[in-house]
Amino acid sequence: MIHSVFWLIPAASLFALLFAWIFFKNMMTNSEGTPTMIEIAQHVREGALAYLTRQYKVVGQVFVVLVVLLGILAYLGVQNPFVPVAFLTGGFFSGLAGFLGMRTATYASARTAHGASASLNKGLKIAFRSGAVMGLVVVGFGLLDISIWYMILNKLVYTATNMHEGLSWIGLTFVHAGTTEHEKLIEITATMLTFGMGASTQALFARVGGGIYTKAADVGADLVGKVEAGIPEDDPRNPATIADNVGDNVGDVAGMGADLYESYCGSILATAALGAALPGLTGEDQTKAVIAPMLVAAIGILLSVAGIFLVRTKESATQKNLLNALLLGTGGSSFFILVVLGFMVYFDWISWGIFGAVVSGLLAGVIIGQGTEYFTSDEYKPTKGIAKQGLQGPATTIIEGMAVGMYSTWIPVITIVIGIIAAYGFGGGFHSFADGVYGIGFAAVGMLSTLGITLATDAFGPIADNAGGNAEMAELPPEVRQRTDALDMLGNTTAATGKGFAIGSAALTAMALLAAYMEEIRLWLGKLAGDGVREVGNVLFYNDHMPMVTAGQRAVEIATANIQDFADAYNLTLFNPLLLGGIFIGAMMAFVFSAMTMKAVGRSAGAMVDEVRRQFREIPGIMERKQKPDYARCVEISTRGAQREMILPSLLAIIVPVAVGILLGVAGVVGLLVGGLTTGFTLAVMLNNAGGAWDNAKKFIEKGEYGGKGSEAHKAGVVGDTVGDPFKDTSGPSLNILIKLMTMASIVMAGVTVAYHIL
Amino acid sequence: MIHSVFWLIPAASLFALLFAWIFFKNMMTNSEGTPTMIEIAQHVREGALAYLTRQYKVVGQVFVVLVVLLGILAYLGVQNPFVPVAFLTGGFFSGLAGFLGMRTATYASARTAHGASASLNKGLKIAFRSGAVMGLVVVGFGLLDISIWYMILNKLVYTATNMHEGLSWIGLTFVHAGTTEHEKLIEITATMLTFGMGASTQALFARVGGGIYTKAADVGADLVGKVEAGIPEDDPRNPATIADNVGDNVGDVAGMGADLYESYCGSILATAALGAALPGLTGEDQTKAVIAPMLVAAIGILLSVAGIFLVRTKESATQKNLLNALLLGTGGSSFFILVVLGFMVYFDWISWGIFGAVVSGLLAGVIIGQGTEYFTSDEYKPTKGIAKQGLQGPATTIIEGMAVGMYSTWIPVITIVIGIIAAYGFGGGFHSFADGVYGIGFAAVGMLSTLGITLATDAFGPIADNAGGNAEMAELPPEVRQRTDALDMLGNTTAATGKGFAIGSAALTAMALLAAYMEEIRLWLGKLAGDGVREVGNVLFYNDHMPMVTAGQRAVEIATANIQDFADAYNLTLFNPLLLGGIFIGAMMAFVFSAMTMKAVGRSAGAMVDEVRRQFREIPGIMERKQKPDYARCVEISTRGAQREMILPSLLAIIVPVAVGILLGVAGVVGLLVGGLTTGFTLAVMLNNAGGAWDNAKKFIEKGEYGGKGSEAHKAGVVGDTVGDPFKDTSGPSLNILIKLMTMASIVMAGVTVAYHIL
């Protein structure tokens, strides 16, 4: 029975990929419009491709280094030998999804603009279904990767019963004739868990690099083009305008996609590992607990596709109509998922408690999104207040925006706290810890189950934005631009809620990964210090002179205890100064990482400003539209800046957890992850919301309030918007990655930490 | 022996007060200078007095409410009956110290300016010794309050052996014929600990109110006077200039003093309580462990006074000479304290481990101060980098400053982590938890032992600043202004390191208080749920229908366990979602509290801007110096703004810990405090350093770099400075209070939390 249900999972992932392909093909049948439109789209496409090629080259080198490193660790016995390979597949599929999604977006923008020439609905449909390609390749490849690995490992481990000697070299030292089904599942899921590290690493570079790229181009284009030269946004005379449009694609499509790919895989894998570790289950029930999160994801895919078809609008649509059209899609998917989950409870796949946990996750996502909307939309007091401060100049605009950003943290934090406690309680955590964290895992899986369609609404934004840019540069008639503007505004709203969704899901995923980290430590304790040590043993650890026995015995004791006693054994209380120190360092990491990404934008934007000024100076015909600016040079500068600047913060996020593990031990690592999670989450919300609010405050002034365009208030608003750019599009989103990646890196390096401290 | 040594403690505190009086009297013998100087000083003095009177009125009302509340709780048996009275004395002495220190400062500024007319050394001496009055009244009253309470309680508890029935109503239910000396000491120190709440509450209003006042006036004066009207700083034509000078006194003298008064008392009291709880000590040794921190403080006072006399300079002094003069004072005091501590080890009052802990604390203070200096002084790269960004306008200046502030957190965080772990380790924490936290307490006591002189260097700053303002307004000859400028610049440097010192000591104090909180919980468990419950019993708790027995038995078990088992019993591990939720809320509190104080400055500054503009418009003779502006009106506006705006954030800091205690229990409170401490510390450093760096970047440009005064870069620098004002002088310093006060409030409300969750 389980066996046949399992096939639904790879089937659903192929279904997602099939529809992605259909949507892509359908989109391609539309015309790209006038020759100018084609040419502009071509520029953007080439720029985006050039950037992505370079990024993958850099990432490729990092991957080679890491794979070699992981290989050495595997050889030394402190790393699972599957990990180097799994690491690669995780990174490969994430990169592939990003590549396909972004290519689609760059093909779609001119077609959206041209579609909008015919009707608003046509424009919406092209843009949205192109965004859906991104959503579907992410969930499709994610779940495919998970299900293939599950099948491979399952095969290997189940066969291993009769060949455990031969398999011991690949790390499956738990598997021998006496190994129970339960132990096998723990081994399989723990191994799978570590391959999320590939997705995490890829996401890091995509988010950080993409974030730096997009804002370097944007800030550069705005500062010289809009402020100094006084030409409008997306004006073809601005040399940085193509780079700016490329930036939307690499930052908001590829970067966002990689971020959520990581959350998606991470939450499913962590929950499966927590399911395998659930005590008290026997036989098929244990397997069900492992497969259940994958199954929820598979169902989510099917209903996401259904939801995508619900999105349509009439011609005279207001912003509210458009928003409702999208809400019908995402809300509809969510609702039907709950119905199907009800059936899963009925068929005893999950409990009502887990159902409650999923509801907690879904609700938390909605509330965080709405809170973001309140604090960043110009329909409400906070953003209007910022605009008003523009009357007194840039300084008070900045102070007010900072205050709004800081204040806005209360809704997401209270929501996530209630969400975590509720999911834990629904899961049964107040009776059994393991059940509780399994519940938290499901809250994350639930929140991300509709990712296929939510990511479509996210990716829709930059496509609409680019369509607007294309229409502006190709100087299409006003009614077309009005339509693309309507779509663009809709995209801004979904971008704000999408950011809330991304950080919320990152927090829940990190929570689940944190619990899974402890399982991983327990596993390695057993492997390295238990009987297994002589089997795994090699030059490094097979050392009779060291006090192996006592430490080893203690480790076995810990490894076989329940996770609560285990936490006590490691002194994971707040009275352990190593753990407290870890929390401090985690809080600091969030700030330092943000500082680095922010400075990176500053430096790259500075280079861009110099270049744009140079072109205006040295190519005198630009302003009279007699000569074309050198777009490619600006694309090149942004690309190079992003490549160079993303290395250091990225390495920091990987190295610090390992260093803390060695210096402060497991307690220090747990502290680091919790500190990074709590402060990182709060800081990310602050940065996102302050940035979003400044952006919309400026737009509010541009609508004619407080003197409108060109007034002193507007100048102040532009300063606020410029400050907010790296806040909301670079540093804030990069923190999503930091909190997940630090946990992932800790999980993958668990063996090293344990070995270092036992031996 | 112990008895006679103890008398050194009240004696040292009276010694401090005596010298404060002498310094004050000596300062008053100097002339205030010309009639104009006297008049200006009189304005500032009146403004400061008016503000303080109002503040104490508001604080008085809050105190009345809290005392009644604490009285009711005491009557109900969930509060120690001494607390309402102790609360009042803590608040009273803190307020008195602030009042005297600030009065002295306002008498000293014109005298400093006049002294500077004679010689630089004379100016330095007047300003520094007047600052020393603040330093000495703070440590004098602080230690006096502590020693008097210790004597009273000691008397009561020791007599109580024969009269325990009669004393049970005042909460000393632990004391009966069989009570050991050890138990008595625990009771005494725990009771004393709670009176720090009075000092905390007073500090909250002084820091928050003072911070709002000073920046409302400063921002208002700068925005209209300097930017719009183009008149220099401290120009007598600016209506807000007196308010600005008053602000320096109420914010940087009274506010800073109250902040450090709280840290000073808190660290000594917490360490005494941890000393009383040390297991394994007997007889006199236990008493020594309690008295030792007070003794270190007493020795610190004597050596601080000695250090004050070391501060002098020659006439042709450079900034480096001046700084060295101050360093000789503080460094000399620190050095001699270490020598005396060596003797204390020799006479077996403390161990070499504790000596090491004190060194850790002192060193941490120095390193954090130096780190602050690096990131905020215009002699180093970070601040120069911000100034350079001014060339590209205000937006990049803000981004760069934010990045510098965020990045600068690494030094203080790593230092505090190493300091905490080192102090814990030196104290013996890796063998015994109680010894370790006692060590951390001593790190805080050690850091604060030289407060008498370090606070003198802090309070020196605003006095010198006011002297400069006075000289400017009274239009004294250029060479005098040059001297006051030199003193002012010196004050800016000490202000930066002083801020680092304040937040560093706040963090260590909060750590010690956190450990003491657990002792307090343990004590209340014993009182409320043990045998004592029927004795304390009253309407609220004497309820036979509730499941008292099991809960009570469990509580007794926990109360008698060692603190580590106790932590386990409360599930203070990071796997408890209630505790994790607490950490999230703590992180959020730091941001929301900062947002509130920042918005408060924005609103008050807005009112000030309107008023200054109105005066320029309606009193046309101001600019031609024919008519005097209405200074009093601006003072009034700042005062009213500060009063109104400080209430809400202040209440939040008191109410949230109580609410979390009721909703999430002890684990939630511990999480809240740790989250607030770690994020609050990091955020405070970020805000302080970003603000300081912007300030000095602006001054760097004013020296003639990047176009100098009036250039575009300078305008950008002014925007940065204005944004930084509330960062560094309101929100950042207010966080010091938040992290301590939340812990204090939790300690005082421990009885309520325990009662609510047991019964």
Side-chain angles (χ1 to χ4, degrees), chain A residues 328-594:
Chain A
L328 183 68
T330 50
S333 302
S334 304
F335 174 76
F336 285 113
I337 280 187
L338 290 184
V339 172
V340 176
L341 281 182
F343 281 101
M344 280 182 72
V345 176
Y346 181 78
F347 288 110
D348 217 23
W349 271 82
I350 54 171
S351 65
W352 278 117
I354 293 300
F355 182 86
V358 171
V359 174
S360 309
L362 276 170
L363 271 183
V366 172
I367 294 171
I368 292 175
Q370 291 307 307
T372 311
E373 168 77 5
Y374 172 75
F375 278 105
T376 59
S377 156
D378 66 5
E379 291 184 23
Y380 304 101
K381 239 177 77 183
T383 300
K384 281 185 183 162
I386 297 175
K388 195 182 168 196
Q389 289 293 335
L391 291 175
Q392 289 175 25
T396 47
T397 307
I398 299 294
I399 293 175
E400 185 72 15
M402 284 291 299
V404 165
M406 288 179 161
Y407 191 72
S408 75
T409 57
W410 80 266
I411 292 183
V413 168
I414 298 289
T415 306
I416 213 84
V417 167
I418 295 176
I420 287 172
I421 294 176
Y424 184 84
F426 279 129
F430 293 108
H431 305 293
S432 146
F433 174 77
D435 285 319
V437 288
Y438 187 59
I440 292 177
F442 255 102
V445 171
M447 196 170 175
L448 286 159
S449 59
T450 54
L451 185 63
I453 185 165
T454 24
L455 191 49
T457 61
D458 288 344
F460 162 82
I463 294 172
D465 190 344
N466 263 271
N470 194 301
E472 180 85 26
M473 283 188 268
E475 293 165 342
L476 296 189
E479 76 269 17
V480 180
R481 287 201 229 166
Q482 217 173 331
R483 287 185 199 133
T484 55
D485 280 354
L487 294 177
D488 190 12
M489 267 183 69
L490 178 63
N492 285 335
T493 308
T494 60
T497 50
K499 264 181 199 126
F501 181 82
I503 180 69
S505 62
L508 284 180
T509 301
M511 277 294 303
L513 286 172
L514 180 64
Y517 168 70
M518 297 316 304
E519 285 299 336
E520 190 76 14
I521 288 284
R522 195 141 70 126
L523 201 62
W524 275 103
L525 275 174
K527 278 195 199 174
L528 287 175
D531 291 344
V533 77
R534 310 261 176 238
E535 283 181 55
V536 188
N538 48 42
V539 269
L540 216 160
F541 299 115
Y542 196 88
N543 186 341
D544 280 331
H545 303 296
M546 286 187 157
M548 293 280 296
V549 184
T550 27
Q553 279 172 343
R554 174 83 180 125
V556 171
E557 226 171 75
I558 296 174
T560 50
N562 73 46
I563 199 161
Q564 183 72 63
D565 292 341
F566 168 58
D568 291 348
Y570 259 111
N571 192 10
L572 297 180
T573 69
L574 283 184
F575 291 101
N576 184 345
L578 301 177
L579 185 140
L580 256 175
I583 298 182
F584 265 109
I585 297 174
M588 177 203 79
M589 276 297 289
F591 281 92
V592 168
F593 190 75
S594 298

Side-chain angles (χ1 to χ4, degrees), chain B residues 71-113:
Chain B
I72 294 173
L73 293 175
Y75 177 76
L76 293 176
V78 286
Q79 188 52 272
N80 187 307
F82 277 118
V83 168
V85 192
F87 177 75
L88 273 179
T89 67
F92 176 75
F93 280 119
S94 168
L96 187 60
F99 177 80
L100 295 176
M102 211 202 61
R103 285 300 277 176
T104 307
T106 54
Y107 278 116
S109 56
R111 290 178 169 86
T112 301

Side-chain angles (χ1 to χ4, degrees), chain A residues 433 518 572-573 575 599 679, chain B residues 400 433 518 572-573 575 577 679:
Chain A
F433 174 77
M518 297 316 304
L572 297 180
T573 69
F575 291 101
K599 266 178 177 273
T679 305
Chain B
E400 185 72 15
F433 174 78
M518 297 314 305
L572 297 180
T573 69
F575 292 100
T679 306

